[in-house]
Amino acid sequence: MVFPKGVPQKRLDLYGINKESMRLARKFWYAVVPQFDGITQKFYNRLQANPDTARYLSSPRMIERLRAAQKVHWQDLFTGEFDASYVARVTVAAEAHLRIRLPNYHYMAAYAFFLNELTAHAQRLFASDMDEAVHIVGAINMLVMLDMDVTTSIYMQRMMHLSAAKAAAPAQEKA
């Protein structure tokens, strides 16, 4: 596992994630949560409209399950801890993406969508205090980038293990 005990504090420090940024992230989450179902609906509508991504979505039931998982994931990101259980949940998602051979650019495009939606909502929700809105958007950016970092680190580690296993297989067959 890439981060067996959770995300190291020095990694969080590198992103500038601290008690204040987490306070702002929680404040944002509790403000945006009533609108989050609409965000995920818009996201999956977009995926369904694109033939390259629609093929990964096999049924309406699957989409509902994925929407629920998205909500839990984002809630955990904005309100939780970056401990071993967070890493385990992210690992499950990364392995699912690997299993279905989701191209990394689809994954990054999804994060771009969510980052745009979340920052737009933050700007609207906190428009009466632009200074706070700016700091909340900063906290959102830090957390989204950290989450992408952790997920892609796990994904890359799994890819390297698969490559190493493939490379070792012919050598074992010759033995």
Side-chain angles (χ1 to χ4, degrees):
M1 185 180 269
V2 175
F3 305 110
K5 296 179 182 176
V7 180
Q9 184 61 48
K10 67 182 189 176
R11 192 78 154 245
L12 299 174
D13 293 343
L14 184 63
Y15 283 93
I17 298 168
N18 55 35
K19 287 180 183 177
E20 178 61 9
S21 58
M22 289 308 299
R23 182 189 71 77
L24 292 167
R26 280 188 291 280
K27 183 175 186 172
F28 167 70
W29 178 255
Y30 295 123
V32 80
V33 75
Q35 300 165 31
F36 201 77
D37 287 339
I39 295 170
T40 60
Q41 184 65 53
K42 185 176 177 182
F43 175 67
Y44 285 100
N45 287 346
R46 182 178 166 153
L47 294 184
Q48 288 177 294
N50 181 322
D52 290 339
T53 53
R55 66 189 179 101
Y56 295 103
L57 306 170
S58 60
S59 69
R61 187 173 173 200
M62 176 190 206
I63 292 168
E64 286 308 309
R65 186 177 49 80
L66 291 170
R67 287 182 64 207
Q70 285 281 352
K71 190 171 187 176
V72 168
H73 175 75
W74 291 101
Q75 177 178 326
D76 286 350
L77 183 64
F78 288 119
T79 66
E81 301 293 323
F82 301 103
D83 56 10
S85 62
Y86 161 78
V87 173
R89 288 188 305 274
V90 172
T91 299
V92 169
E95 288 175 344
H97 293 155
L98 185 61
R99 191 172 42 258
I100 65 169
R101 297 182 177 195
L102 183 72
N104 201 40
Y105 61 89
H106 285 314
Y107 175 76
M108 294 298 175
Y111 267 87
F113 171 86
F114 276 100
L115 188 57
N116 287 335
E117 286 292 315
L118 296 171
T119 56
H121 277 78
Q123 290 166 345
R124 283 191 292 277
L125 289 166
F126 298 95
S128 64
D129 185 347
M130 223 27 189
D131 189 52
E132 184 173 47
V134 166
H135 288 95
I136 287 173
V137 168
I140 292 167
N141 287 334
M142 288 181 235
L143 291 169
V144 170
M145 293 298 122
L146 173 73
D147 197 48
M148 282 181 22
D149 171 16
V150 172
T151 305
T152 54
S153 294
I154 293 165
Y155 191 88
M156 289 178 1
Q157 181 193 50
R158 295 297 193 263
M159 289 294 290
M160 287 188 289
H161 283 153
L162 288 173
S163 295
K166 264 187 176 177
Q172 289 174 355
E173 289 173 8
K174 291 179 184 175

